mmCIF file of all heavy atoms in Angstrom:
data_model
loop_
_atom_site.group_PDB
_atom_site.id
_atom_site.type_symbol
_atom_site.label_atom_id
_atom_site.label_comp_id
_atom_site.label_asym_id
_atom_site.label_seq_id
_atom_site.Cartn_x
_atom_site.Cartn_y
_atom_site.Cartn_z
ATOM 1 N N GLN A 285 -10.489 14.280 4.640
ATOM 2 C CA GLN A 285 -11.902 14.292 4.837
ATOM 3 C C GLN A 285 -12.691 14.196 3.559
ATOM 4 O O GLN A 285 -13.683 13.351 3.496
ATOM 5 C CB GLN A 285 -12.346 15.529 5.599
ATOM 6 C CG GLN A 285 -11.854 15.512 7.081
ATOM 7 C CD GLN A 285 -12.384 16.777 7.851
ATOM 8 O OE1 GLN A 285 -13.497 17.148 7.710
ATOM 9 N NE2 GLN A 285 -11.491 17.423 8.652
ATOM 10 N N GLN A 286 -12.266 14.767 2.518
ATOM 11 C CA GLN A 286 -12.973 14.714 1.243
ATOM 12 C C GLN A 286 -12.848 13.362 0.710
ATOM 13 O O GLN A 286 -13.766 12.746 0.061
ATOM 14 C CB GLN A 286 -12.560 15.819 0.311
ATOM 15 C CG GLN A 286 -13.022 17.225 0.644
ATOM 16 C CD GLN A 286 -14.627 17.266 0.456
ATOM 17 O OE1 GLN A 286 -15.344 16.402 0.823
ATOM 18 N NE2 GLN A 286 -15.144 18.382 -0.103
ATOM 19 N N ARG A 287 -11.532 12.773 0.743
ATOM 20 C CA ARG A 287 -11.457 11.393 0.141
ATOM 21 C C ARG A 287 -12.317 10.406 0.943
ATOM 22 O O ARG A 287 -12.898 9.484 0.344
ATOM 23 C CB ARG A 287 -9.988 11.007 0.178
ATOM 24 C CG ARG A 287 -9.171 11.689 -0.885
ATOM 25 C CD ARG A 287 -7.764 11.195 -0.930
ATOM 26 N NE ARG A 287 -6.927 11.797 0.087
ATOM 27 C CZ ARG A 287 -5.677 11.238 0.536
ATOM 28 N NH1 ARG A 287 -5.326 10.223 -0.038
ATOM 29 N NH2 ARG A 287 -4.977 11.940 1.380
ATOM 30 N N ILE A 288 -12.442 10.648 2.287
ATOM 31 C CA ILE A 288 -13.288 9.671 3.017
ATOM 32 C C ILE A 288 -14.706 10.000 2.665
ATOM 33 O O ILE A 288 -15.534 8.962 2.690
ATOM 34 C CB ILE A 288 -13.031 9.994 4.538
ATOM 35 C CG1 ILE A 288 -11.693 9.325 5.016
ATOM 36 C CG2 ILE A 288 -14.103 9.323 5.409
ATOM 37 C CD1 ILE A 288 -11.096 9.853 6.207
ATOM 38 N N ALA A 289 -15.124 11.240 2.354
ATOM 39 C CA ALA A 289 -16.510 11.488 1.998
ATOM 40 C C ALA A 289 -16.835 10.696 0.760
ATOM 41 O O ALA A 289 -17.912 10.176 0.561
ATOM 42 C CB ALA A 289 -16.762 12.900 1.864
ATOM 43 N N ILE A 290 -15.979 10.698 -0.171
ATOM 44 C CA ILE A 290 -16.093 9.959 -1.435
ATOM 45 C C ILE A 290 -16.208 8.447 -1.144
ATOM 46 O O ILE A 290 -17.143 7.793 -1.694
ATOM 47 C CB ILE A 290 -14.883 10.151 -2.471
ATOM 48 C CG1 ILE A 290 -14.896 11.656 -2.893
ATOM 49 C CG2 ILE A 290 -15.056 9.278 -3.577
ATOM 50 C CD1 ILE A 290 -13.616 12.025 -3.557
ATOM 51 N N ALA A 291 -15.318 7.897 -0.276
ATOM 52 C CA ALA A 291 -15.462 6.492 0.024
ATOM 53 C C ALA A 291 -16.847 6.209 0.743
ATOM 54 O O ALA A 291 -17.548 5.162 0.532
ATOM 55 C CB ALA A 291 -14.324 6.066 1.052
ATOM 56 N N ARG A 292 -17.311 7.143 1.605
ATOM 57 C CA ARG A 292 -18.539 7.020 2.353
ATOM 58 C C ARG A 292 -19.682 6.939 1.262
ATOM 59 O O ARG A 292 -20.616 6.179 1.399
ATOM 60 C CB ARG A 292 -18.807 8.063 3.304
ATOM 61 C CG ARG A 292 -20.067 8.001 4.110
ATOM 62 C CD ARG A 292 -20.099 8.990 5.195
ATOM 63 N NE ARG A 292 -20.212 10.305 4.712
ATOM 64 C CZ ARG A 292 -20.221 11.487 5.467
ATOM 65 N NH1 ARG A 292 -20.199 11.299 6.753
ATOM 66 N NH2 ARG A 292 -20.201 12.668 4.944
ATOM 67 N N ALA A 293 -19.672 7.768 0.239
ATOM 68 C CA ALA A 293 -20.777 7.703 -0.780
ATOM 69 C C ALA A 293 -20.683 6.437 -1.448
ATOM 70 O O ALA A 293 -21.671 5.905 -1.757
ATOM 71 C CB ALA A 293 -20.519 8.942 -1.677
ATOM 72 N N LEU A 294 -19.449 5.968 -1.741
ATOM 73 C CA LEU A 294 -19.436 4.663 -2.553
ATOM 74 C C LEU A 294 -19.829 3.382 -1.788
ATOM 75 O O LEU A 294 -20.106 2.442 -2.357
ATOM 76 C CB LEU A 294 -17.943 4.460 -2.989
ATOM 77 C CG LEU A 294 -17.430 5.378 -4.048
ATOM 78 C CD1 LEU A 294 -15.912 5.213 -4.256
ATOM 79 C CD2 LEU A 294 -18.115 5.175 -5.383
ATOM 80 N N MET A 295 -19.821 3.582 -0.432
ATOM 81 C CA MET A 295 -20.291 2.459 0.423
ATOM 82 C C MET A 295 -21.711 2.064 0.100
ATOM 83 O O MET A 295 -22.017 0.906 0.282
ATOM 84 C CB MET A 295 -20.208 2.891 1.798
ATOM 85 C CG MET A 295 -18.786 2.883 2.562
ATOM 86 S SD MET A 295 -17.888 1.281 2.735
ATOM 87 C CE MET A 295 -19.067 0.486 3.770
ATOM 88 N N MET A 296 -22.556 3.024 -0.395
ATOM 89 C CA MET A 296 -23.922 2.750 -0.617
ATOM 90 C C MET A 296 -24.227 2.170 -2.094
ATOM 91 O O MET A 296 -25.355 2.095 -2.416
ATOM 92 C CB MET A 296 -24.785 4.089 -0.426
ATOM 93 C CG MET A 296 -24.610 4.583 0.894
ATOM 94 S SD MET A 296 -25.211 3.441 2.223
ATOM 95 C CE MET A 296 -26.944 3.454 1.843
ATOM 96 N N ASN A 297 -23.177 1.841 -2.751
ATOM 97 C CA ASN A 297 -23.255 1.289 -4.129
ATOM 98 C C ASN A 297 -24.155 2.134 -5.039
ATOM 99 O O ASN A 297 -25.005 1.801 -5.696
ATOM 100 C CB ASN A 297 -23.888 -0.116 -4.129
ATOM 101 C CG ASN A 297 -23.162 -1.097 -3.326
ATOM 102 O OD1 ASN A 297 -21.994 -1.071 -3.306
ATOM 103 N ND2 ASN A 297 -23.873 -1.895 -2.373
ATOM 104 N N PRO A 298 -23.813 3.472 -5.142
ATOM 105 C CA PRO A 298 -24.546 4.358 -5.902
ATOM 106 C C PRO A 298 -24.436 4.159 -7.425
ATOM 107 O O PRO A 298 -23.339 3.709 -7.791
ATOM 108 C CB PRO A 298 -24.019 5.815 -5.548
ATOM 109 C CG PRO A 298 -22.540 5.469 -5.278
ATOM 110 C CD PRO A 298 -22.597 4.190 -4.455
ATOM 111 N N LYS A 299 -25.342 4.473 -8.197
ATOM 112 C CA LYS A 299 -25.273 4.398 -9.611
ATOM 113 C C LYS A 299 -24.617 5.638 -10.180
ATOM 114 O O LYS A 299 -24.180 5.632 -11.367
ATOM 115 C CB LYS A 299 -26.734 4.068 -10.204
ATOM 116 C CG LYS A 299 -27.197 2.752 -9.870
ATOM 117 C CD LYS A 299 -28.638 2.571 -10.438
ATOM 118 C CE LYS A 299 -29.090 1.171 -10.214
ATOM 119 N NZ LYS A 299 -29.272 0.847 -8.786
ATOM 120 N N ALA A 300 -24.588 6.754 -9.402
ATOM 121 C CA ALA A 300 -23.897 7.940 -9.795
ATOM 122 C C ALA A 300 -23.347 8.620 -8.629
ATOM 123 O O ALA A 300 -24.015 8.664 -7.547
ATOM 124 C CB ALA A 300 -24.852 8.834 -10.607
ATOM 125 N N LEU A 301 -22.424 9.394 -8.633
ATOM 126 C CA LEU A 301 -21.776 10.373 -7.684
ATOM 127 C C LEU A 301 -22.078 11.750 -8.215
ATOM 128 O O LEU A 301 -21.801 12.108 -9.323
ATOM 129 C CB LEU A 301 -20.292 10.129 -7.473
ATOM 130 C CG LEU A 301 -19.832 8.929 -6.784
ATOM 131 C CD1 LEU A 301 -18.232 8.921 -6.688
ATOM 132 C CD2 LEU A 301 -20.376 8.868 -5.376
ATOM 133 N N LEU A 302 -22.771 12.558 -7.313
ATOM 134 C CA LEU A 302 -22.926 13.926 -7.507
ATOM 135 C C LEU A 302 -21.897 14.708 -6.650
ATOM 136 O O LEU A 302 -21.939 14.630 -5.376
ATOM 137 C CB LEU A 302 -24.275 14.336 -7.079
ATOM 138 C CG LEU A 302 -25.490 13.378 -7.632
ATOM 139 C CD1 LEU A 302 -26.846 14.016 -7.142
ATOM 140 C CD2 LEU A 302 -25.439 13.331 -9.144
ATOM 141 N N LEU A 303 -20.988 15.462 -7.301
ATOM 142 C CA LEU A 303 -19.880 16.153 -6.596
ATOM 143 C C LEU A 303 -19.937 17.635 -6.717
ATOM 144 O O LEU A 303 -19.859 18.115 -7.839
ATOM 145 C CB LEU A 303 -18.570 15.642 -7.236
ATOM 146 C CG LEU A 303 -18.388 14.033 -7.250
ATOM 147 C CD1 LEU A 303 -17.136 13.734 -8.034
ATOM 148 C CD2 LEU A 303 -18.400 13.432 -5.911
ATOM 149 N N ASP A 304 -20.216 18.280 -5.522
ATOM 150 C CA ASP A 304 -20.427 19.713 -5.635
ATOM 151 C C ASP A 304 -19.224 20.468 -5.149
ATOM 152 O O ASP A 304 -19.137 20.700 -3.972
ATOM 153 C CB ASP A 304 -21.657 19.937 -4.823
ATOM 154 C CG ASP A 304 -22.224 21.524 -4.847
ATOM 155 O OD1 ASP A 304 -21.661 22.291 -5.771
ATOM 156 O OD2 ASP A 304 -22.938 21.950 -4.028
ATOM 157 N N GLU A 305 -18.403 21.011 -6.047
ATOM 158 C CA GLU A 305 -17.337 21.743 -5.679
ATOM 159 C C GLU A 305 -16.563 21.234 -4.549
ATOM 160 O O GLU A 305 -16.176 21.935 -3.532
ATOM 161 C CB GLU A 305 -17.759 23.222 -5.312
ATOM 162 C CG GLU A 305 -18.404 24.026 -6.551
ATOM 163 C CD GLU A 305 -17.119 24.640 -7.349
ATOM 164 O OE1 GLU A 305 -16.055 24.240 -7.221
ATOM 165 O OE2 GLU A 305 -17.362 25.556 -8.023
ATOM 166 N N ILE A 306 -16.130 19.943 -4.515
ATOM 167 C CA ILE A 306 -15.572 19.270 -3.432
ATOM 168 C C ILE A 306 -14.089 19.746 -3.069
ATOM 169 O O ILE A 306 -13.688 19.416 -2.066
ATOM 170 C CB ILE A 306 -15.697 17.773 -3.461
ATOM 171 C CG1 ILE A 306 -14.895 17.232 -4.685
ATOM 172 C CG2 ILE A 306 -17.107 17.374 -3.539
ATOM 173 C CD1 ILE A 306 -14.761 15.726 -4.675
ATOM 174 N N THR A 307 -13.505 20.485 -3.970
ATOM 175 C CA THR A 307 -12.103 20.824 -3.845
ATOM 176 C C THR A 307 -12.067 22.336 -3.638
ATOM 177 O O THR A 307 -10.945 22.922 -3.417
ATOM 178 C CB THR A 307 -11.301 20.623 -4.965
ATOM 179 O OG1 THR A 307 -11.686 21.246 -6.142
ATOM 180 C CG2 THR A 307 -11.243 19.105 -5.244
ATOM 181 N N SER A 308 -13.247 23.059 -3.528
ATOM 182 C CA SER A 308 -13.147 24.559 -3.310
ATOM 183 C C SER A 308 -12.592 25.136 -2.145
ATOM 184 O O SER A 308 -12.029 26.177 -2.069
ATOM 185 C CB SER A 308 -14.645 25.050 -3.513
ATOM 186 O OG SER A 308 -15.503 24.663 -2.477
ATOM 187 N N ALA A 309 -12.544 24.356 -1.044
ATOM 188 C CA ALA A 309 -12.063 24.869 0.195
ATOM 189 C C ALA A 309 -10.644 24.266 0.493
ATOM 190 O O ALA A 309 -10.067 24.443 1.555
ATOM 191 C CB ALA A 309 -12.925 24.526 1.360
ATOM 192 N N LEU A 310 -10.030 23.528 -0.565
ATOM 193 C CA LEU A 310 -8.789 22.922 -0.259
ATOM 194 C C LEU A 310 -7.692 23.692 -1.049
ATOM 195 O O LEU A 310 -7.916 24.381 -2.034
ATOM 196 C CB LEU A 310 -8.818 21.412 -0.812
ATOM 197 C CG LEU A 310 -9.961 20.616 -0.365
ATOM 198 C CD1 LEU A 310 -9.936 19.259 -1.059
ATOM 199 C CD2 LEU A 310 -10.029 20.366 1.008
ATOM 200 N N ASP A 311 -6.449 23.531 -0.368
ATOM 201 C CA ASP A 311 -5.203 24.052 -0.906
ATOM 202 C C ASP A 311 -4.812 23.168 -2.150
ATOM 203 O O ASP A 311 -5.306 22.165 -2.335
ATOM 204 C CB ASP A 311 -4.123 24.226 0.093
ATOM 205 C CG ASP A 311 -3.491 22.911 0.563
ATOM 206 O OD1 ASP A 311 -3.582 21.924 -0.125
ATOM 207 O OD2 ASP A 311 -3.117 22.875 1.738
ATOM 208 N N PRO A 312 -4.003 23.609 -3.032
ATOM 209 C CA PRO A 312 -3.591 22.989 -4.247
ATOM 210 C C PRO A 312 -3.057 21.725 -4.026
ATOM 211 O O PRO A 312 -3.497 20.650 -4.831
ATOM 212 C CB PRO A 312 -2.480 23.818 -4.865
ATOM 213 C CG PRO A 312 -2.832 25.163 -4.395
ATOM 214 C CD PRO A 312 -3.385 24.993 -2.924
ATOM 215 N N GLU A 313 -2.405 21.329 -3.061
ATOM 216 C CA GLU A 313 -1.805 19.929 -2.760
ATOM 217 C C GLU A 313 -2.996 19.016 -2.364
ATOM 218 O O GLU A 313 -3.078 17.919 -2.896
ATOM 219 C CB GLU A 313 -0.833 19.938 -1.608
ATOM 220 C CG GLU A 313 -0.154 18.625 -1.349
ATOM 221 C CD GLU A 313 0.974 18.656 -0.321
ATOM 222 O OE1 GLU A 313 1.118 19.737 0.270
ATOM 223 O OE2 GLU A 313 1.583 17.693 -0.116
ATOM 224 N N MET A 314 -3.917 19.466 -1.476
ATOM 225 C CA MET A 314 -5.034 18.669 -1.145
ATOM 226 C C MET A 314 -5.966 18.430 -2.255
ATOM 227 O O MET A 314 -6.517 17.323 -2.563
ATOM 228 C CB MET A 314 -5.745 19.327 0.063
ATOM 229 C CG MET A 314 -5.079 19.241 1.304
ATOM 230 S SD MET A 314 -6.043 20.151 2.668
ATOM 231 C CE MET A 314 -4.946 19.961 4.096
ATOM 232 N N THR A 315 -6.183 19.493 -3.087
ATOM 233 C CA THR A 315 -6.965 19.384 -4.318
ATOM 234 C C THR A 315 -6.437 18.328 -5.245
ATOM 235 O O THR A 315 -7.183 17.510 -5.778
ATOM 236 C CB THR A 315 -6.943 20.793 -5.018
ATOM 237 O OG1 THR A 315 -7.725 21.688 -4.259
ATOM 238 C CG2 THR A 315 -7.724 20.615 -6.420
ATOM 239 N N SER A 316 -5.132 18.322 -5.441
ATOM 240 C CA SER A 316 -4.445 17.290 -6.302
ATOM 241 C C SER A 316 -4.782 15.944 -5.787
ATOM 242 O O SER A 316 -5.067 14.886 -6.556
ATOM 243 C CB SER A 316 -2.939 17.551 -6.331
ATOM 244 O OG SER A 316 -2.359 16.501 -7.198
ATOM 245 N N GLU A 317 -4.806 15.729 -4.443
ATOM 246 C CA GLU A 317 -5.102 14.382 -3.871
ATOM 247 C C GLU A 317 -6.437 13.945 -4.204
ATOM 248 O O GLU A 317 -6.605 12.817 -4.546
ATOM 249 C CB GLU A 317 -4.930 14.443 -2.287
ATOM 250 C CG GLU A 317 -3.519 14.624 -1.856
ATOM 251 C CD GLU A 317 -3.484 14.867 -0.289
ATOM 252 O OE1 GLU A 317 -4.558 14.809 0.347
ATOM 253 O OE2 GLU A 317 -2.362 15.016 0.312
ATOM 254 N N VAL A 318 -7.349 14.863 -4.053
ATOM 255 C CA VAL A 318 -8.819 14.461 -4.227
ATOM 256 C C VAL A 318 -9.028 14.133 -5.787
ATOM 257 O O VAL A 318 -9.666 13.207 -6.134
ATOM 258 C CB VAL A 318 -9.775 15.585 -3.742
ATOM 259 C CG1 VAL A 318 -11.144 15.217 -4.266
ATOM 260 C CG2 VAL A 318 -9.593 15.770 -2.225
ATOM 261 N N LEU A 319 -8.371 15.000 -6.704
ATOM 262 C CA LEU A 319 -8.698 14.996 -7.990
ATOM 263 C C LEU A 319 -8.076 13.570 -8.625
ATOM 264 O O LEU A 319 -8.653 12.915 -9.616
ATOM 265 C CB LEU A 319 -8.063 16.129 -8.932
ATOM 266 C CG LEU A 319 -8.804 17.441 -8.621
ATOM 267 C CD1 LEU A 319 -8.136 18.545 -9.525
ATOM 268 C CD2 LEU A 319 -10.347 17.256 -8.858
ATOM 269 N N LYS A 320 -6.933 13.137 -7.988
ATOM 270 C CA LYS A 320 -6.277 11.808 -8.372
ATOM 271 C C LYS A 320 -7.320 10.683 -8.095
ATOM 272 O O LYS A 320 -7.459 9.755 -8.917
ATOM 273 C CB LYS A 320 -5.032 11.609 -7.717
ATOM 274 C CG LYS A 320 -3.889 12.460 -8.154
ATOM 275 C CD LYS A 320 -2.523 12.183 -7.296
ATOM 276 C CE LYS A 320 -1.498 13.072 -7.915
ATOM 277 N NZ LYS A 320 -0.303 12.865 -7.126
ATOM 278 N N ILE A 321 -8.011 10.793 -7.032
ATOM 279 C CA ILE A 321 -8.980 9.790 -6.670
ATOM 280 C C ILE A 321 -10.155 9.799 -7.719
ATOM 281 O O ILE A 321 -10.653 8.763 -8.158
ATOM 282 C CB ILE A 321 -9.611 10.017 -5.255
ATOM 283 C CG1 ILE A 321 -8.457 9.872 -4.250
ATOM 284 C CG2 ILE A 321 -10.701 9.003 -4.945
ATOM 285 C CD1 ILE A 321 -7.709 8.558 -4.183
ATOM 286 N N LEU A 322 -10.623 10.998 -8.088
ATOM 287 C CA LEU A 322 -11.721 11.066 -9.046
ATOM 288 C C LEU A 322 -11.342 10.498 -10.418
ATOM 289 O O LEU A 322 -11.986 9.825 -11.100
ATOM 290 C CB LEU A 322 -12.187 12.488 -9.110
ATOM 291 C CG LEU A 322 -12.839 13.100 -7.909
ATOM 292 C CD1 LEU A 322 -13.313 14.506 -8.221
ATOM 293 C CD2 LEU A 322 -13.913 12.331 -7.322
ATOM 294 N N GLU A 323 -9.979 10.765 -10.711
ATOM 295 C CA GLU A 323 -9.469 10.276 -12.086
ATOM 296 C C GLU A 323 -9.513 8.745 -11.991
ATOM 297 O O GLU A 323 -9.784 8.191 -13.052
ATOM 298 C CB GLU A 323 -8.157 10.817 -12.305
ATOM 299 C CG GLU A 323 -8.083 12.384 -12.580
ATOM 300 C CD GLU A 323 -6.707 12.864 -12.827
ATOM 301 O OE1 GLU A 323 -5.752 12.019 -13.001
ATOM 302 O OE2 GLU A 323 -6.413 14.023 -12.906
ATOM 303 N N SER A 324 -9.147 8.261 -10.934
ATOM 304 C CA SER A 324 -9.063 6.669 -10.872
ATOM 305 C C SER A 324 -10.505 6.168 -10.920
ATOM 306 O O SER A 324 -10.633 5.123 -11.583
ATOM 307 C CB SER A 324 -8.234 6.255 -9.546
ATOM 308 O OG SER A 324 -9.028 6.514 -8.334
ATOM 309 N N LEU A 325 -11.477 6.768 -10.215
ATOM 310 C CA LEU A 325 -12.886 6.337 -10.283
ATOM 311 C C LEU A 325 -13.388 6.473 -11.744
ATOM 312 O O LEU A 325 -14.107 5.599 -12.231
ATOM 313 C CB LEU A 325 -13.700 7.198 -9.326
ATOM 314 C CG LEU A 325 -13.335 6.852 -7.892
ATOM 315 C CD1 LEU A 325 -14.255 7.879 -7.046
ATOM 316 C CD2 LEU A 325 -13.687 5.461 -7.427
ATOM 317 N N ALA A 326 -13.003 7.490 -12.379
ATOM 318 C CA ALA A 326 -13.393 7.775 -13.819
ATOM 319 C C ALA A 326 -12.916 6.641 -14.625
ATOM 320 O O ALA A 326 -13.630 6.012 -15.583
ATOM 321 C CB ALA A 326 -13.015 9.081 -14.314
ATOM 322 N N ALA A 327 -11.670 6.363 -14.512
ATOM 323 C CA ALA A 327 -11.017 5.267 -15.260
ATOM 324 C C ALA A 327 -11.769 3.899 -15.027
ATOM 325 O O ALA A 327 -11.731 2.965 -15.918
ATOM 326 C CB ALA A 327 -9.504 5.153 -14.887
#
């Protein structure tokens, strides 16, 4: 759901993403999934 939320935000062609503790409710494995996406976007 969080990865889809990131994709949904990107659909609007934003100039910046504001991310508010988006992994705080996730277990370590799910957190790792989301952070990998953020790392790829940062790259």
Side-chain angles (χ1 to χ4, degrees):
Q285 289 184 41
Q286 284 295 39
R287 284 187 278 163
I288 288 167
I290 294 169
R292 183 172 61 180
L294 292 171
M295 285 291 297
M296 299 301 290
N297 302 318
K299 293 181 173 61
L301 282 180
L302 311 180
L303 308 169
D304 185 16
E305 289 281 18
I306 63 171
T307 61
S308 63
L310 305 180
D311 64 33
E313 185 174 3
M314 292 180 180
T315 294
S316 178
E317 292 175 357
V318 174
L319 293 181
K320 285 178 182 177
I321 299 303
L322 298 185
E323 288 180 14
S324 67
L325 291 175

